[in-house]
């Protein structure tokens, strides 16, 4: 998933062309993200990846045909210089973008 609306990018670790965060300084980082599915029984899976390994996921499904559903998750990772973190999806049928979904990370 490429989050093209970038609000803060201290250290320029997030690449808004690829959607990948590349660790500029080794340390412990917190990442949080959300995904929103549309109405009419739509669903969205999203996963956090670390150097190509899928670690954790979210799942949102709008079952009633009337409301949007949002799923979010948070993960703490120990990163080394140039480690890569991103949010991806295998299936996201009609997911919403900014300002309804987001990806944030910060160094502790």
């Amino acid at each position: 998933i490429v989050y093209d609306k970038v609000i803060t990018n201290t250290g320029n670790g997030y690449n808004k062309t690829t959607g990948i965060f590349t660790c500029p300084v080794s340390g412990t980082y917190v990442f949080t993200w959300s995904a929103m599915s549309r109405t009419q029984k739509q669903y969205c899976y999203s996963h956090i990846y670390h150097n190509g390994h899928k670690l954790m996921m979210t799942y949102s499904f709008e079952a009633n045909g009337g409301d949007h559903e949002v799923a979010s998750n948070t993960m703490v990772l120990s990163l080394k210089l140039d480690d890569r973190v991103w949010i991806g999806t295998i299936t996201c049928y009609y997911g919403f973008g900014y300002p309804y979904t987001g990806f944030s990370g910060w160094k502790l």
Side-chain angles (χ1 to χ4, degrees):
I1 298 173
V2 176
Y3 297 90
D4 57 353
K5 175 72 172 179
V6 178
I7 297 170
T8 304
N9 194 11
T10 304
N12 295 313
Y14 182 75
N15 182 320
K16 74 175 189 174
T17 302
T18 64
I20 296 173
F21 171 81
T22 302
C23 181
V25 177
S26 297
T28 302
Y29 287 77
V30 177
F31 294 95
T32 183
W33 75 100
S34 63
M36 181 178 188
S37 57
R38 279 185 66 170
T39 58
Q40 304 169 349
K41 299 186 179 184
Q42 308 300 327
Y43 53 89
C44 187
Y45 292 91
S46 65
H47 309 269
I48 189 168
Y49 291 85
H50 175 219
N51 293 334
H53 301 284
K54 188 180 347 177
L55 301 177
M56 189 179 285
M57 69 177 280
T58 68
Y59 170 72
S60 61
F61 175 68
E62 197 297 298
N64 298 319
D67 297 322
H68 302 291
E69 294 294 328
V70 176
S72 63
N73 218 330
T74 302
M75 181 151 213
V76 178
L77 293 171
S78 294
L79 300 182
K80 296 177 183 166
L81 180 68
D82 294 329
D83 275 2
R84 300 179 320 139
V85 176
W86 67 92
I87 305 301
T89 181
I90 295 171
T91 304
C92 190
Y93 191 69
Y94 285 111
F96 274 102
Y98 176 83
Y100 302 103
T101 65
F103 173 48
S104 296
W106 60 92
K107 186 174 183 285
L108 291 178

